[in-house]
Amino acid sequence: MKSTMFDLVKNCFILTICLLCFGSRFALATYPEPDGKKLYDLHCSACHGENGRGGVGVPLALPDFLNTASDQYLQKTIRLGRPGRIMPAFTSLRNEQISAIVQFIHTWSDTTPTQYPETPVQGDRHKGAQLYSKHCAACHGNNGEGGHGTGVTYSRPRDLPIIAPALRNAGFLAAASDQMIKATLIKGRKNTPMPSFLKQGLVEKDINDLVSYIRSFEKTVQQGRDKPVEQQAKPTLVYESSYSFEETVENLKGAAIGANFRIIREQYFNEGLAEPGKEDKQKKIVYFCNFNTLNQALAIDSRVGLFLPCRITVVKHKGKVLVMSINPKLLSNFFNNSELDRLCQQMYETYLAILEETTL
Ligand code: HEC
Ligand code: HEC
């Protein structure tokens, strides 16, 4: 009797423990606590670097940045991005996930996140405009469009270690409060080109005028590349050839050489993946290059290297011979770098000429 009573208590105890364990595990599975570091590594580190050191994106781990950035600023910047600049809008992250990322970003600094009063800064925006041309335009662009290129690594003048962000930008203006912009101008950001303007000889009133001027950008904000979808470049160019597969490959090489390219190599689509001799002989890629254009493109934006050398693919599919390439116009959209526009348009026209000559 005594032992059954004991067993009963024991079983109840075990049952309770099990319920607690599995219950809480179940709860964890349903409501996983977002892991800020993991989310940062997944969504941000490719651009902002491991530990916020910077890359295609500006560095985030700077003490002067973390000192002046409010949680709200960080949250809104992640949610809204910077339209027209390379910083994307993270529309599908949940609020808790964004908060977890923000908390993780704060672990790089031991300062407490700043809270700013909502009070707008009152100043004279006309005076601000004059001060802006004199003190800011060289880095942030005459119209606040931001420096050319992005972040710390790409297409920047060598004497400018970090590209100045766009200020006439819907995402920036929605995220930054007047008081935060003011604090940034007063303090500057040590270890970046952005100086403290109190130390540059401006007084508080000048800074208020500058903030009013920046706020006035809201009326004529740059919305980025808001071309209607139907005018956007198609991602691939596909032409049907009226020649046999082998003839088409020869035509393609001839057309590329005719357009001042040098043929680098040709290979079967799955060469190196399939056993030697067993490659798919109906799919071939021709690689070609023009070193002049290549150097021009790399000087503007070294990320173009990801898509070089130029390549065009010929495939025989269901009796048809197709000649295909990515659309070079897409590159300028993709890199969000308007300096590439002219070059990409030129490449697009050259590709069309090559594709036509190959297939007609
Ligand atoms: C020598 C170049 C340079 C000059 C001059 C300069 N800035 Fe900057 N500014 C920068 C850089 C670079 C950053 C980004 C720093 C960073 O990585 O956090 C920056 C950041 C900022 C930011 C924060 C923007 C953001 O997205 O975080 C504001 C606001 C700003 N600058 C306003 C101004 C104003 C107004 C002036 C003129 C009074 C000015 N800057 C002058 C280079 C400059
Ligand atoms: C594709 C590259 C890219 C990705 C991915 C990216 N960013 Fe950015 N981010 C940028 C660039 C570039 C800027 C500067 C905007 C400019 O030049 O106008 C920026 C700006 C920012 C700023 C403003 C910095 C300042 O000085 O005020 C914050 C904050 C930020 N990013 C956080 C994040 C976080 C957090 C993530 C991940 C959830 C992320 N970014 C993902 C490229 C990126």
Side-chain angles (χ1 to χ4, degrees):
M1 178 69 194
K2 211 174 172 189
S3 79
T4 16
M5 192 58 195
F6 177 74
D7 279 347
L8 192 69
V9 170
K10 194 176 84 182
N11 288 340
C12 270
F13 182 71
I14 289 169
L15 191 70
T16 318
I17 293 288
C18 286
L19 269 177
L20 276 176
C21 288
F22 290 110
S24 67
R25 226 181 247 179
F26 185 67
L28 270 176
T30 332
Y31 303 107
E33 186 84 14
D35 179 332
K37 181 181 176 349
K38 269 200 190 135
L39 289 164
Y40 177 87
D41 288 345
L42 183 65
H43 296 291
C44 325
S45 68
C47 288
H48 289 285
E50 218 179 294
N51 304 318
R53 265 186 274 112
V56 176
V58 291
L60 299 176
L62 302 164
D64 279 340
F65 171 63
L66 293 173
N67 264 333
T68 44
S70 63
D71 277 5
Q72 207 197 20
Y73 173 76
L74 294 171
Q75 281 159 1
K76 282 196 179 165
T77 299
I78 299 168
R79 180 64 87 207
L80 304 171
R82 299 276 165 95
R85 304 287 286 178
I86 201 174
M87 168 75 194
F90 289 87
T91 47
S92 57
L93 288 178
R94 286 181 286 114
N95 286 343
E96 309 86 82
Q97 291 176 306
I98 291 188
S99 300
I101 296 175
V102 168
Q103 271 175 28
F104 172 66
I105 288 175
H106 278 305
T107 62
W108 294 323
S109 154
D110 43 20
T111 52
T112 37
T114 317
Q115 298 289 344
Y116 293 102
E118 290 293 317
T119 31
V121 168
Q122 304 290 346
D124 179 340
R125 70 186 158 88
H126 300 288
K127 289 216 175 94
Q130 288 164 6
L131 289 164
Y132 181 89
S133 319
K134 190 160 170 223
H135 296 282
C136 325
C139 291
H140 289 280
N142 286 337
N143 297 305
E145 71 275 21
H148 296 304
T150 44
V152 298
T153 46
Y154 291 107
S155 60
R156 61 179 167 81
R158 288 289 160 246
D159 53 341
L160 252 196
I162 300 170
I163 296 301
L167 303 175
R168 190 187 295 273
N169 181 282
F172 170 70
L173 292 167
S177 68
D178 284 7
Q179 300 291 344
M180 184 190 143
I181 300 176
K182 183 171 174 175
T184 304
L185 299 188
I186 287 178
K187 277 193 161 176
R189 294 200 184 147
K190 216 174 279 143
N191 298 324
T192 84
M194 174 69 191
S196 149
F197 281 93
L198 281 190
K199 291 191 188 144
Q200 300 274 311
L202 299 192
V203 295
E204 191 177 349
K205 176 174 177 312
D206 297 329
I207 290 184
N208 291 346
D209 294 348
L210 278 163
V211 174
S212 318
Y213 177 59
I214 293 172
R215 187 53 68 199
S216 76
F217 289 163
E218 256 164 5
K219 298 195 192 89
T220 51
V221 101
Q222 202 180 13
Q223 290 294 351
R225 290 164 183 270
D226 45 1
K227 292 177 204 152
V229 177
E230 64 272 18
Q231 276 176 26
Q232 275 171 15
K234 281 200 206 110
T236 48
L237 306 171
V238 183
Y239 275 59
E240 194 181 335
S241 173
S242 36
Y243 300 92
S244 72
F245 179 80
E246 288 74 18
E247 282 168 337
T248 306
V249 172
E250 287 312 308
N251 287 353
L252 170 59
K253 291 194 283 185
I257 291 167
N260 282 325
F261 288 97
R262 195 184 289 181
I263 305 298
I264 296 193
R265 64 177 189 278
E266 56 180 286
Q267 66 172 59
Y268 293 112
F269 196 78
N270 56 352
E271 205 166 303
L273 299 171
E275 261 180 66
K278 295 215 171 139
E279 297 93 356
D280 185 345
K281 302 277 166 22
Q282 308 281 293
K283 290 195 177 87
K284 214 166 203 185
I285 312 175
V286 176
Y287 293 90
F288 52 95
C289 183
N290 172 320
F291 291 97
N292 213 352
T293 325
L294 172 108
N295 288 331
Q296 274 182 46
L298 291 180
I300 298 174
D301 195 322
S302 56
R303 289 172 295 168
V304 173
L306 293 170
F307 291 89
L308 295 170
C310 300
R311 69 202 70 173
I312 293 183
T313 306
V314 182
V315 294
K316 189 162 180 192
H317 182 65
K318 294 189 179 156
K320 285 183 185 170
V321 178
L322 301 174
V323 187
M324 322 192 274
S325 83
I326 68 156
N327 185 345
K329 263 197 197 174
L330 205 70
L331 291 184
S332 63
N333 285 2
F334 188 69
F335 290 137
N336 212 353
N337 182 346
S338 51
E339 287 168 85
L340 282 173
D341 288 356
R342 189 188 52 84
L343 206 69
C344 289
Q345 178 64 29
Q346 211 176 303
M347 281 301 282
Y348 169 70
E349 284 160 18
T350 311
Y351 267 48
L352 287 191
I354 293 177
L355 291 168
E356 280 179 12
E357 200 180 319
T358 305
T359 52
L360 289 182

